Each structure stands twice: as C-alpha cells, then as structure tokens.
Amino acid sequence: MVSHKRLLMNTFSLFLVFQFCHSIDTITANQSITDDGDSQILVSAGKHFVLGFFSPGNSSNRYVGIWYNASKQMVVWVANREKPIKGSTGVFKISREGNLVIIDRNQEGPPLWSANNISIPSNKYFAKLLDNGNLVLSPQDDSGNIVWQSFDYPTHTHLPGMQLGFNRQTGKNKSLTSWKSPDDPASGDYSLQLDPQGSPQLFLYKGSVPVWRSGPWMGDNWSGVHQPMGTFFHYQYVNSSDEVYVTYNNTANFTFSIYAVFMLNDSGSFQWLIWSNVQPVWTRYWEALKERCDEYGRCGGYSSCTTNANNGFECACVPGFQPNKSGAAAGGDGSEGCVRERRLECGLGKAEEEFLKLEHVKLPDTVAARVLNDRSMSQEECEKECLSNCNCTGYSKVNISGGGSGSGCMSWYGELMDIRHYSDGGQDLYVRVARRNSKGFNKRRMLVALLTVPVILLAFILCCYYLLQKRQRKVTTKMQPHQELLFNSNANPEEFKSSFVAAELQEAEINSELSFFDLSVVVAATDNFSSSNKLGQGGFGPVYKGRLSNGQEIAVKRLSKYSGQGIVEFKNEVMLIAKLQHRNLVRLLGCCIQDEEKMLIYEYMPNKSLDYFLFDETRRQLLQWEKRLEIIVGIARGVLYLHQDSLLRIIHRDLKASNILLDSDMNPKISDFGMARIFGRSQTEANTNRVVGTYGYMSPEYAMDGLFSVKSDVFSFGVLLLEIISGKKNTGYNYKDPYMNLIGHAWELWREGKGLDIVDSCMGEGDCYPGDEVLRCIHVGLLCVQESPSDRPTMSNVVFMLSNQTIMPPPNQPAFIMKRAPYADSSSSATGTASCSINEVTISVVEGR
Ligand SMILES: *[C@@H]1O[C@H](CO)[C@@H](O)[C@H](O)[C@H]1NC(C)=O
Ligand SMILES: *[C@@H]1O[C@H](CO)[C@@H](O)[C@H](O)[C@H]1NC(C)=O
Ligand SMILES: *[C@@H]1O[C@H](CO)[C@@H](O)[C@H](O)[C@H]1NC(C)=O
Ligand SMILES: *[C@@H]1O[C@H](CO)[C@@H](O)[C@H](O)[C@H]1NC(C)=O
Ligand SMILES: *[C@@H]1O[C@H](CO)[C@@H](O)[C@H](O)[C@H]1NC(C)=O
Ligand SMILES: *[C@@H]1O[C@H](CO)[C@@H](O)[C@H](O)[C@H]1NC(C)=O
Ligand SMILES: *[C@@H]1O[C@H](CO)[C@@H](O)[C@H](O)[C@H]1NC(C)=O
Ligand SMILES: *[C@@H]1O[C@H](CO)[C@@H](O)[C@H](O)[C@H]1NC(C)=O
Ligand SMILES: *[C@@H]1O[C@H](CO)[C@@H](O)[C@H](O)[C@H]1NC(C)=O
Ligand SMILES: *[C@@H]1O[C@H](CO)[C@@H](O)[C@H](O)[C@H]1NC(C)=O
Ligand SMILES: *[C@@H]1O[C@H](CO)[C@@H](O)[C@H](O)[C@H]1NC(C)=O
Ligand SMILES: *[C@@H]1O[C@H](CO)[C@@H](O)[C@H](O)[C@H]1NC(C)=O
C-alpha cells in the first residue's frame, strides 16, 4: 500500500522534472513550484534569472527568491522575506482566486505570503519571470496588463529597469531595505529611500537616522556621487508632478554580458556591483559610504568636510563663520558646527550683505531648499531671489539638464547642513553673510596678494623649464638615425636574408591562406573608407572597420603611401607575416594592393584595445588581478613567439597598450607586429625623419642611439607590464613628484619595500589580490626596464619568471626614471647593446639622409 503511494509520488515528480527540464519561465493556475529539488525553478527566457526556493547563508529556512543564473549567490529579490518556511514543504503557485501565493503544506490557514488581493474571482492568471529579473502577474487574455510585479516591491537590490522612488499622487514609495544578516533576509536596520522634498535626494537611513545623502541631482550625476554613473549604464532621474524616481539600463555594447546591481548590504553599505562573464566575480564599482566625509552631517551646520591623508577628515567653517565655541567637544575646528561671525541684519539689502563663494562642494542638504526651474535666470537674479527672503542662507546656480527639469537656481532656507569639499568637480555654493568691514577686507586682500605672487612666479618658472625641456626633447628625437632590420649570421647579412626569405616564401605560397582582396571589395566593405567606420589612426596609417558581403567583420589598415616599398617586396613581406599564427597575435587575413594603395586586412577585434580599458577610470574595474595576469602572460607569449618561436624573428618596435587588442574573451592580441619589417627596409629611402616607436615605451638605447634589439621590445614590455598593474600611463603619470614617471615611481616604492603601493586601487585593497604574485610581476617588470640591455631578461626568461616561482636577481635602477628628455649617458648604453647582440637579431644603423 505504502509502496504504491510512493510509486505514484515518484511518477508525479518525474512528470514535474520532465516538465521543468525545458526550463519554463511561466506558471499558470494549475501549476506550482514545490521545494522538491533543483529542477523546480522558473528560468527567464534569456536564461539570465532564476526563481526558486533557496536557503540563505547558513540558515536552513526556505524562501522563494530570484537570483542570477550565472551567480547563484546574488539573490536579487525575496518573496516571503518575513515569513520563512521551516522545511521543504513550501509551494509557490497561483491560488484559486488568481493570486500569487506561497503556502506551507504543513500549515492550515491563509497563505504565508501573497502578492496581491485580486477581487475578480478567476483562475485565468499567469506569472512570468522576465529577462530583467521582474516577476509579473498578468491575466491570460493577451491584454498585456500587469496586475502585480516584483519590481514594485524591491527588497535590497535595485536592478536595471527597476524604478526606485516616490509617487506624489499615491504617496507610495519604492525603497530598498537591507537584510537582517546573510542568514536572514527579513527587513534589517538600513533602508535607502528617495526623499521627494526640496530637490529630491537619495537617503540611506539606519532606522530613522540619516547616515548618507546623495545630494541633489545635477543632470548626469548626484552632487555627492563623485563617480561617473553612465559608462556602461544609462542612469536616469525623472522628476515630475506625478512622481520622482531613478532608474538605469544597460548600454554596454561588448561581446560579453555585463550585469549590475545596486545593493544595500546587511551592514548598511549601499554599493554598485558589476559582474561580467569575462571576469565572473561581483566587483564593487562604487560605494556610498567610502570616506568619513560621506557620513551625513559629519561636520555639523555651516561646516565643510575635507578628506585628509589617512582616510580621516577635517572640518572647516564656511567663509564668514567661526567654530561653535559653546560646543564642549569642539577643538575649535568646526566639527561641532559653526556660527556666524557677524549677525545677519535682514532687510538692509545688498549694501550690508554679501555672498561668499565656496567652490568644489557637495551641495548642502536640499530637503528645505527651493528650486526655481528657469533656464534663463542669471546669477544676479538668483542672488536677488535669495536676498528677498530673510530665511535664505545661500544659493547655487545649477544646471539640472536631466529629468526635464532644466537649469535654474537652488536656494536654501535654514542651516546649511552636510557640506563636503572635493579637490575637483562638485558645484559652487554662495553663502549669505553680513558684509565685512572694509578694514578686514583689505587685510584679507593683502594676504591673498602676498600668497599669490610667489605662487604665480613659481608656476612661471616651472612653465619655462617645461617648455625648454620639451624643445630639447624634440631636438633629440629629430636627430634619430634610421635603422634597418637585418638578420645576423656569420655570412654576409644581405645574402643570408635573401635566401632565408626565398625559402620561406616558397613554403608560404604552398600553404598560405592569405587572400588578395580587390580594392572594390574593400571599398564596399568600409563604405568607401567612411569616417564613421574609422577605428583609429595607427602609426602607419588609419584603420577602418569593414564588413564583407558574407558578413565577416574585418579591420583594414590603409598604409601610408610613403612606405616606398615595391609591390613585389611588399607582397612577399605580407605573405611571410600572414604565416605568423599565434593565439596572442592578431590574425592577418589578407592584403589589398592596387595602384598606390596598400592595405592589410585583419580579423576584427570587438573589444577594442587594452588602453581603452586600462586607462579609463570605469572600464578598468572590469580588469581584476586574474584577468590582468592573463593579459600580461598572453602578451609575453606573443612577444616571445615573435622573437624566438616564429621562423621570421620579428622585433615589434612599438609595443604599447594601444597595440594590444582584445578579443571577445578579452584575450590579448598583439597588433602591428609585421610593421617593423614592412617599414623597416624602406624607411631609409622614403622617410628620413621618422622614428618608429612611442615615447614612454622606448628603451634608452633606441631613443638615444637608434639601436634596437629584442631587448628594446623587452623594455617596452616592462613598461606595459607596470602600466597594466598600476592602471596608469608611464608618461603623463602624475604622482607627488611631477618629474617622476611611472617607472621611476615603481622603482622608488620597490626600494622602500612598498612595491604594492603602485597597484591599481581598482583591484581592491590588500587581500583582493595575491600580494606575492603581484610583487613577482612588478619585479619582472623592473628587470625589463633596466638601463642596460644586457641586464634585461629575454622574453623566454620573462615567460618563465612569470609562471614559476624562481629566484630572480634584484633589479638595477631603471632607465629614464625622470620625465626629462634623454640626453645624458648615451655612450654607456650604446656599448651595452653592441656587446650583447651576437646571437640575436642585430641592427645596422643607417644614417638618415
Ligand atoms: C485547472 O484544473 C481544473 C480542473 O482540473 C480545470 O477545470 C481548469 O480549467 C484548469 N485551469 C487551467 C487554467 O488550466
Ligand atoms: C557559515 O558557517 C561557517 C562555519 O560556522 C562560517 O565559517 C561561515 O562564515 C558562515 N557563513 C555565513 C554566511 O554566515
Ligand atoms: C543557466 O543555467 C543553466 C543550468 O541551470 C545553464 O545550463 C545555462 O548555461 C545557464 N545560462 C547562463 C547564461 O549562464
Ligand atoms: C489582502 O487581504 C487581507 C485580508 O483581507 C489583508 O489582511 C491584507 O492586508 C491584504 N493584502 C494586500 C497586499 O492588500
Ligand atoms: C517609504 O516607505 C517606507 C516603508 O514603507 C517608509 O518607512 C518611509 O517613510 C517611506 N518614505 C517616504 C518618503 O514616504
Ligand atoms: C559627475 O560626473 C562627471 C563625469 O561624468 C565628473 O567629471 C564629475 O566630477 C562628477 N561630479 C561629481 C560631483 O562627482
Ligand atoms: C521636482 O518636481 C516637483 C514637482 O513638479 C517640483 O516642485 C520640484 O521643483 C522639482 N525639483 C527639481 C529639482 O526639479
Ligand atoms: C536606456 O534608456 C535610454 C533612456 O530611457 C534609452 O534612450 C536607451 O535606448 C535605453 N537603452 C537600452 C539599451 O535599453
Ligand atoms: C552594438 O554592437 C553591434 C555589433 O558590433 C552593432 O551592430 C550594434 O549597432 C551596436 N549597438 C549599439 C547600441 O551601439
Ligand atoms: C557590506 O559591504 C561592506 C563594504 O563593501 C563590507 O565591508 C561588508 O563586509 C559587507 N557586509 C556583508 C555582510 O557582506
Ligand atoms: C553649538 O554647540 C552646542 C553644543 O554642542 C549646541 O547645543 C548648539 O546648538 C550649537 N550651536 C549652533 C549654532 O550650532
Ligand atoms: C522665516 O522662518 C521663520 C521660522 O521658521 C518663519 O516664521 C518665517 O515666516 C520665515 N520668513 C519667511 C519670509 O519665509
């Protein structure tokens, strides 16, 4: 009897498993989801989101939630957050009334949780999990109506497409509430709400106490959010008489998926996390309470907070105010708020009052502020408006272009609260004070003059010095001799070369996949080299994106006409280069030679180049340590192949971040690698004052004496490696000492035993990356940029050192640690090259004519 029942149940669950295998996204009246196994889930159509039963953290309680398919730990919504089910007896279904409910099979009575009280008795409803993570309940009548949706009841996560805000008509608000703990999704202490008063602001509350404030909306970001919001996501603020809300959507156009969530975690940290399948971890992109000055009212009224060195803070009274002496704990610095130096005698007008300007601030709390949406209002009118009301304490001329609010004037009534000062960005605030007497004013003026004169003088001297340096550098560069790539052997180099080329060419002709494209095909593919298809301007000519008639995407490099090489020679070179195949080299598909035109056709790389990610404040966050190491090792392997493992032995001569392209999985691919060959030979004839290479990546012996060898590529690689680790450019690097470049700074820190200080702060602090592994890489980088080429490792050493824990020699002082033009010490490095080049490719220096 019992076994019979069991058999029946088994058949039943088998049926369900079968049914759910096809990962449905909808349940209708007679279907339900039970807590019987992993197959009992809803999966959204694009497979981005999953709905099912889960237990948070270490808890054994069961909840119905929605999470990312790709990342199960990111639960974005919980239905029965306050009413856990004690065992696996929960059922999620549409009730007979058409309502979405969760019931406990072990419990009689009303459902544990229900979505909506639907009054029309009907079972003709269905619930569907959409691809943006929204669960909607709709009637089955194709009307497309939504009677209930989970996006209207956010828990602790703000997903793209969801609106967070306040409905002025109904008084209803959509806000976030933290979980109690990782084990308990019930409402915790923290909440995030959009306060509709004054100029609407986001507030983070602990209980009913505000702990953080976004500041008013400034058109494309919040006054108090010092980070661009719109790189991958279009962040939108809408304020109308009906409602005020914020929302955002994904605008990233990469070949990989990228997810984002704003999340209020259970310890009250409101953060923006980003996940991509290139780097499948949730990375914190922004956080509300990062610095002490972000804490609401840290400094009290009329006092401005500035972040200082060790993530501490300083409070300073706004102009015309002095520290509140009656505050017992006040150290005389305004941390207990500030009071007026002179009482404001209202009504006397402009003669007795003035406005003092405060630059680069997060605007004070706007709960009691008034916004005049008049685009044409001038600053004088703004000022007048403020003067006309005795309670007005300050104003700001703002430009709120977003949300259709236009620009205008914001004025404050009452105490100016929660001001913070930024070193750059932010807004200007004008604070109303009683006019100072003329004596005081003069004193101030004199002080300013006394301070400014020396500063201007100093700036002038620095400016002159810089210009002088620049001129000298230019002269040095211009004088570069020209060089040609030859292959060394005991025989006559020319002879060796031609026989070598001939042999390779024969082989190439037999099994080359190189195509010769007709000019008309390339013209059609690139829309006649239209400027909208231009991807960039390389050192050898512009690059265009194209699409062949079969749909294949290509990149076309249109070589500058002055390459001067004969057609036969050029063809031969290209056929040789097309034979170079390595996963870290961009693949050459073919070429096009017609009349004056010479073009190279490459595979198209959708994710642009490394510099596009590395040197961008936002995109750089997609590259965490593991990915960066992969990129470093990939580049090293590619260069090693060029130097040693390919038959051609090529010196790249222009390794730099913009020449490293990224494929759809963000694997690095070196581009422009055959250019040294194609251009090397002809340069002497065609273009006498051209130096291939990029300042900042050039080794000293190349930059100064025009000598290059595989070791100059090693140098460039070392620079690139340090750039990847630090996320900073070698040139244009600005840290403390303006004359020190990245290499110099890395070297100084290394000597002081603080090598890890160079690491990109985007990769997180301390234990977010393995310190010893990063240090090993920095060590390798410093070995590569040593002054003397013979001290630098070969690429095969580099690849070995990067992937093995081996003992490495200590690095010597690198070359060019200063940004100065390199004109000292040239002789020593020249001899260095000459003596170490026996078995490698050597250079014959041909003076330019
Ligand atoms: C649900 O089942 C009942 C009885 O089995 C049936 O009458 C009803 O039509 C079903 N409803 C739907 C929407 O399939
Ligand atoms: C779960 O318990 C383990 C062991 O007690 C503990 O290390 C871990 O931090 C707990 N996890 C959570 C999310 O509480
Ligand atoms: C979603 O999860 C299923 C397994 O549950 C997996 O087969 C599928 O590849 C996942 N899809 C994505 C986009 O991660
Ligand atoms: C649904 O109805 C019940 C009983 O009438 C009531 O207690 C509950 O508050 C209602 N829920 C909603 C969301 O209106
Ligand atoms: C928004 O809703 C929450 C919870 O319902 C409530 O505590 C809060 O006061 C509301 N906020 C506003 C601005 O009405
Ligand atoms: C707003 O974003 C821009 C970049 O989009 C940035 O330059 C500016 O500093 C930001 N404002 C604040 C207050 O952070
Ligand atoms: C937001 O909208 C309300 C109502 O339309 C308006 O009173 C207020 O001035 C607006 N705020 C801003 C900053 O535009
Ligand atoms: C994002 O929203 C903006 C403004 O609403 C819209 O113009 C844009 O098309 C949206 N982008 C996507 C990818 O949905
Ligand atoms: C995204 O990229 C695809 C392929 O490169 C392109 O067809 C599409 O127009 C792009 N979309 C946007 C919004 O840029
Ligand atoms: C919440 O976020 C903060 C800041 O990122 C982090 O330190 C803390 O550990 C997080 N709390 C939990 C429980 O994850
Ligand atoms: C000055 O500080 C005292 C004590 O903290 C406080 O009671 C008083 O309100 C403060 N005055 C002003 C103007 O902030
Ligand atoms: C100024 O504020 C006081 C107290 O808050 C109020 O009584 C008065 O009406 C206000 N005056 C004006 C002109 O708004």
Side-chain angles (χ1 to χ4, degrees):
M1 196 60 204
V2 174
S3 67
H4 183 65
K5 205 169 165 186
R6 210 191 192 109
L7 194 74
L8 259 175
M9 269 175 71
N10 277 343
T11 324
F12 178 63
S13 48
L14 250 175
F15 168 67
L16 276 175
V17 168
F18 175 74
Q19 191 178 20
F20 282 95
C21 260
H22 299 281
S23 63
I24 55 164
D25 62 355
T26 306
I27 52 169
T28 52
N30 285 349
Q31 290 171 320
S32 60
I33 288 183
T34 56
D35 194 4
D36 289 336
D38 287 345
S39 58
Q40 295 273 316
I41 51 174
L42 294 183
V43 180
S44 69
K47 308 230 182 306
H48 292 295
F49 288 93
V50 176
L51 178 145
F53 284 87
F54 76 103
S55 291
N58 285 341
S59 162
S60 60
N61 287 340
R62 303 297 284 169
Y63 296 88
V64 173
I66 297 175
W67 57 86
Y68 279 98
N69 187 16
S71 168
K72 193 164 189 220
Q73 82 273 16
M74 187 56 85
V75 175
V76 297
W77 184 76
V78 184
N80 54 327
R81 64 186 302 188
E82 312 287 349
K83 296 269 187 66
I85 305 157
K86 296 292 177 209
S88 299
T89 49
V91 180
F92 178 74
K93 64 173 190 182
I94 294 178
S95 69
R96 215 167 293 143
E97 294 76 34
N99 199 1
L100 206 50
V101 296
I102 298 172
I103 56 164
D104 186 344
R105 276 181 296 195
N106 284 354
Q107 256 180 33
E108 297 289 315
L112 273 175
W113 173 88
S114 70
N116 202 343
N117 288 350
I118 291 161
S119 48
I120 329 146
S122 155
N123 58 7
K124 294 205 171 63
Y125 284 90
F126 70 95
K128 182 172 183 177
L129 180 61
L130 304 183
D131 233 1
N132 59 2
N134 194 6
L135 176 69
V136 299
L137 183 64
S138 298
Q140 280 180 324
D141 56 6
D142 295 327
S143 64
N145 291 342
I146 291 174
V147 296
W148 178 92
Q149 57 177 342
S150 64
F151 270 18
D152 287 342
Y153 302 88
T155 55
H156 72 325
T157 312
H158 182 196
L159 285 172
M162 192 185 251
Q163 297 176 357
L164 216 60
F166 185 81
N167 188 319
R168 296 184 197 274
Q169 302 299 323
T170 62
K172 277 210 176 115
N173 74 55
K174 294 172 201 167
S175 54
L176 304 182
T177 318
S178 68
W179 287 19
K180 267 212 167 76
S181 75
D183 298 338
D184 185 0
S187 297
D189 286 343
Y190 296 94
S191 65
L192 186 101
Q193 299 172 22
L194 188 63
D195 187 329
Q197 301 176 74
S199 185
Q201 310 169 90
L202 287 175
F203 270 96
L204 174 60
Y205 291 98
K206 179 174 190 179
S208 56
V209 180
V211 291
W212 173 82
R213 177 182 70 94
S214 68
W217 181 253
M218 286 292 115
D220 50 29
N221 47 12
W222 299 100
S223 172
V225 175
H226 220 63
Q227 181 134 345
M229 311 285 276
T231 308
F232 310 127
F233 297 89
H234 177 84
Y235 194 88
Q236 207 183 358
Y237 163 94
V238 175
N239 179 33
S240 70
S241 52
D242 291 344
E243 53 185 348
V244 50
Y245 64 84
V246 289
T247 185
Y248 66 111
N249 64 13
N250 192 342
T251 54
N253 197 9
F254 299 123
T255 54
F256 48 86
S257 15
I258 173 163
Y259 297 140
V261 294
F262 279 100
M263 205 249 284
L264 178 57
N265 86 3
D266 39 277
S267 38
S269 169
F270 180 52
Q271 38 191 262
W272 198 1
L273 302 172
I274 290 185
W275 183 99
S276 72
N277 54 10
V278 168
Q279 195 153 327
V281 287
W282 289 95
T283 308
R284 196 163 63 237
Y285 170 55
W286 169 82
E287 185 180 10
L289 281 159
K290 190 154 187 173
E291 292 168 6
R292 298 294 315 271
C293 283
D294 289 323
E295 295 167 23
Y296 181 81
R298 178 73 264 158
C299 285
Y302 300 110
S303 185
S304 156
C305 188
T306 309
T307 299
N308 66 15
N310 305 310
N311 199 18
F313 68 98
E314 276 159 23
C315 296
C317 291
V318 303
F321 286 75
Q322 61 195 21
N324 176 4
K325 295 260 166 42
S326 50
D333 63 346
S335 55
E336 296 274 310
C338 301
V339 294
R340 290 191 181 277
E341 280 170 5
R342 272 171 300 278
R343 224 159 64 88
L344 208 54
E345 298 283 356
C346 187
L348 294 178
K350 222 175 155 152
E352 294 303 320
E353 289 173 10
E354 64 178 336
F355 286 90
L356 298 179
K357 184 176 175 185
L358 210 57
E359 286 179 315
H360 303 304
V361 297
K362 166 181 178 179
L363 292 175
D365 195 345
T366 49
V367 163
R370 204 175 292 162
V371 184
L372 291 167
N373 282 330
D374 185 351
R375 215 174 279 266
S376 61
M377 250 174 118
S378 68
Q379 179 157 342
E380 284 71 37
E381 286 169 310
C382 247
E383 196 170 307
K384 229 193 224 153
E385 171 68 26
C386 186
L387 281 173
S388 71
N389 185 322
C390 279
N391 291 349
C392 179
T393 46
Y395 75 91
S396 177
K397 177 101 180 69
V398 289
N399 182 10
I400 316 162
S401 53
S405 327
S407 60
C409 191
M410 207 177 267
S411 44
W412 278 262
Y413 300 86
E415 196 179 37
L416 298 178
M417 193 60 187
D418 193 35
I419 307 171
R420 80 166 283 191
H421 178 261
Y422 291 113
S423 52
D424 59 356
Q427 283 75 40
D428 292 344
L429 174 70
Y430 295 86
V431 182
R432 184 185 196 176
V433 296
R435 195 175 278 282
R436 291 151 194 259
N437 56 36
S438 53
K439 201 172 148 215
F441 186 63
N442 274 344
K443 232 182 184 169
R444 200 176 85 120
R445 230 184 178 166
M446 202 138 102
L447 194 71
V448 169
L450 275 175
L451 281 174
T452 2
V453 169
V455 168
I456 291 176
L457 254 173
L458 191 73
F460 180 72
I461 292 168
L462 285 178
C463 213
C464 288
Y465 180 69
Y466 173 74
L467 285 177
L468 211 71
Q469 293 292 327
K470 209 168 161 183
R471 251 177 82 129
Q472 256 160 355
R473 184 156 66 211
K474 227 180 189 161
V475 171
T476 332
T477 321
K478 267 227 175 93
M479 289 189 325
Q480 290 315 312
H482 290 284
Q483 48 291 123
E484 196 178 6
L485 219 132
L486 295 175
F487 290 89
N488 188 35
S489 85
N490 291 332
N492 174 349
E494 271 301 330
E495 221 168 76
F496 172 77
K497 185 184 67 183
S498 47
S499 66
F500 179 75
V501 169
E504 281 242 342
L505 197 59
Q506 245 173 17
E507 204 187 328
E509 269 163 359
I510 295 165
N511 52 14
S512 165
E513 288 164 25
L514 184 76
S515 323
F516 289 90
F517 289 78
D518 202 63
L519 183 61
S520 61
V521 171
V522 181
V523 165
T526 57
D527 201 4
N528 197 14
F529 303 105
S530 76
S531 52
S532 63
N533 277 332
K534 190 164 168 179
L535 293 171
Q537 176 75 39
F540 305 94
V543 185
Y544 297 88
K545 184 183 171 181
R547 186 185 286 269
L548 299 176
S549 53
N550 65 5
Q552 188 185 8
E553 289 184 311
I554 54 171
V556 179
K557 175 161 275 194
R558 196 178 193 184
L559 297 179
S560 318
K561 298 218 168 93
Y562 51 67
S563 90
Q565 206 175 26
I567 287 179
V568 177
E569 278 173 289
F570 177 78
K571 229 183 216 175
N572 291 347
E573 284 296 341
V574 172
M575 285 176 75
L576 290 184
I577 290 159
K579 285 189 62 63
L580 298 180
Q581 284 188 20
H582 188 267
R583 65 187 298 263
N584 296 113
L585 300 184
V586 173
R587 207 154 121 52
L588 183 65
L589 301 174
C591 66
C592 168
I593 309 168
Q594 211 156 326
D595 307 328
E596 287 284 277
E597 293 281 3
K598 292 190 191 118
M599 281 171 269
L600 298 175
I601 321 290
Y602 293 95
E603 60 178 334
Y604 174 69
M605 288 290 133
N607 286 332
K608 306 217 165 82
S609 51
L610 182 58
D611 60 333
Y612 178 75
F613 285 88
L614 198 57
F615 303 135
D616 180 272
E617 214 180 312
T618 311
R619 298 184 196 110
R620 161 156 120 224
Q621 314 220 14
L622 291 172
L623 304 175
Q624 294 295 296
W625 171 245
E626 288 74 24
K627 197 72 218 171
R628 291 192 199 205
L629 183 62
E630 263 176 62
I631 290 174
I632 290 170
V633 172
I635 299 169
R637 294 221 170 101
V639 179
L640 173 63
Y641 175 81
L642 289 178
H643 282 183
Q644 192 176 315
D645 296 343
S646 76
L647 284 168
L648 282 179
R649 290 180 154 198
I650 280 182
I651 300 179
H652 189 290
R653 280 208 276 171
D654 199 12
L655 275 178
K656 56 179 169 181
S658 58
N659 273 340
I660 307 297
L661 306 187
L662 297 167
D663 74 2
S664 52
D665 295 322
M666 301 285 274
N667 293 313
K669 302 227 174 197
I670 301 172
S671 74
D672 267 6
F673 51 83
M675 293 299 158
R677 276 184 74 97
I678 289 180
F679 275 82
R681 210 147 304 173
S682 54
Q683 252 167 30
T684 48
E685 296 140 32
N687 182 19
T688 43
N689 52 11
R690 179 190 182 85
V691 177
V692 180
T694 303
Y695 198 77
Y697 292 93
M698 273 194 269
S699 62
E701 71 277 8
Y702 181 29
M704 295 187 296
D705 304 311
L707 291 172
F708 69 88
S709 65
V710 287
K711 295 296 184 71
S712 16
D713 272 358
V714 170
F715 184 93
S716 309
F717 173 80
V719 174
L720 190 51
L721 187 154
L722 292 172
E723 289 185 335
I724 294 173
I725 290 176
S726 64
K728 307 257 177 16
K729 283 184 180 155
N730 186 30
T731 53
Y733 180 74
N734 213 337
Y735 182 82
K736 278 199 235 158
D737 182 352
Y739 294 105
M740 177 89 68
N741 62 15
L742 173 65
I743 303 181
H745 188 222
W747 165 248
E748 296 253 294
L749 289 171
W750 176 266
R751 270 200 316 188
E752 291 165 20
K754 297 190 292 192
L756 286 178
D757 285 8
I758 200 85
V759 174
D760 188 351
S761 57
C762 285
M763 298 199 319
E765 289 100 29
D767 47 5
C768 291
Y769 51 81
D772 47 347
E773 205 171 275
V774 179
L775 271 179
R776 192 147 47 83
C777 272
I778 296 173
H779 192 160
V780 173
L782 287 172
L783 288 174
C784 291
V785 295
Q786 292 176 104
E787 175 94 41
S788 161
S790 56
D791 289 347
R792 296 178 210 146
T794 61
M795 268 339 272
S796 57
N797 294 148
V798 168
V799 170
F800 184 77
M801 290 188 295
L802 284 175
S803 35
N804 294 282
Q805 303 221 345
T806 165
I807 296 165
M808 294 185 269
N812 296 322
Q813 167 156 335
F816 299 151
I817 62 168
M818 303 310 245
K819 280 182 190 165
R820 248 181 257 143
Y823 45 77
D825 278 350
S826 59
S827 54
S828 64
S829 58
T831 39
T833 317
S835 58
C836 77
S837 55
I838 307 302
N839 280 321
E840 289 158 3
V841 183
T842 60
I843 312 307
S844 68
V845 180
V846 183
E847 292 293 338
R849 277 165 285 170

